[in-house]
Amino acid sequence: MKKKQRQADIIKTLRSSREPISGTALSTMYNVSRQSIVQDIALLKASESSYNIISTNKGYILVEPPPRTKVFKVYHSHEEIGDELYTIVDSGGMVKDVFIIHDIYGKIQVDLFLATRADVDAFVMGLEKKKTSPLMKLTDRYHYHTVEAAADSILETIEKRLKEKGYLIMGE
């Protein structure tokens, strides 16, 4: 196994563990010396991604920053729902919800949790299959999405792309 692949696998292993993992356990998993694991951890901490790996007396823990969120007010046609959602997930965002502010009923919100094109496809097909109307129909196509991403730069990219496509409503 090559060093870069092993380092990627170490991150996956640490990310999926709820408990610290010892250097010895990692060296056994990846069939390398404990010293190689120590070097891998040092390189991962110093990498461009600068992983926040904490060394404890019980082993290594990956501490990930909490995701960032931003609310986008958007406007588009029924036919553009898929494209709008693809724009968000293709840019690295996860659409947590959709909500509207109705003049009579106030805020109406529905959780979505769309993170991939497959999620978007299933959502759009559900709208078509059940012949149901999206919430935006109640507010003349205006609606909001809470979007989650790993970094502010991803949210900035999403905002830029939504604006380029004419979906984003600015200044509110």
Side-chain angles (χ1 to χ4, degrees), residues 37-54:
I37 296 297
V38 170
Q39 290 172 350
D40 286 340
I41 297 293
L43 289 169
L44 287 165
K45 286 178 166 183
S47 72
E48 188 176 306
S49 299
S50 62
Y51 292 102
N52 188 11
I53 301 171
I54 308 294

Side-chain angles (χ1 to χ4, degrees), residues 85-104:
L85 297 172
Y86 283 157
T87 301
I88 295 168
V89 300
D90 288 351
S91 301
M94 192 259 295
V95 184
K96 289 182 67 170
D97 61 32
V98 60
F99 66 93
I100 60 169
I101 307 299
H102 192 272
D103 290 341
I104 307 257

Side-chain angles (χ1 to χ4, degrees), residues 168-172:
L168 188 64
I169 304 300
M170 300 296 289
E172 294 193 38

Side-chain angles (χ1 to χ4, degrees), residues 47-170:
S47 72
E48 188 176 306
S49 299
S50 62
Y51 292 102
N52 188 11
I53 301 171
I54 308 294
S55 301
T56 72
N57 62 343
K58 293 182 181 181
Y60 297 107
I61 300 171
L62 177 62
V63 179
E64 300 205 75
R68 308 289 198 263
T69 61
K70 185 167 185 169
V71 173
F72 295 103
K73 184 176 184 182
V74 291
Y75 173 89
H76 54 77
S77 70
H78 183 91
E79 294 75 28
E80 294 171 314
I81 291 172
D83 184 58
E84 174 223 18
L85 297 172
Y86 283 157
T87 301
I88 295 168
V89 300
D90 288 351
S91 301
M94 192 259 295
V95 184
K96 289 182 67 170
D97 61 32
V98 60
F99 66 93
I100 60 169
I101 307 299
H102 192 272
D103 290 341
I104 307 257
Y105 301 116
K107 184 177 182 179
I108 303 171
Q109 181 175 341
V110 177
D111 291 334
L112 295 178
F113 300 106
L114 307 175
T116 65
R117 279 184 163 251
D119 295 340
V120 171
D121 290 342
F123 174 73
V124 171
M125 291 215 8
L127 287 175
E128 292 170 5
K129 198 176 209 181
K130 297 185 188 311
K131 296 184 179 14
T132 188
S133 296
L135 282 179
M136 67 183 204
K137 188 170 183 179
L138 295 173
T139 53
D140 194 29
R141 300 189 284 179
Y142 290 95
H143 59 286
Y144 300 82
H145 289 296
T146 306
V147 176
E148 186 176 280
D152 290 331
S153 60
I154 295 171
L155 292 172
E156 290 166 9
T157 298
I158 293 167
E159 183 171 338
K160 179 182 171 204
R161 290 185 178 154
L162 289 172
K163 186 177 181 182
E164 287 169 353
K165 291 189 173 200
Y167 298 149
L168 188 64
I169 304 300
M170 300 296 289

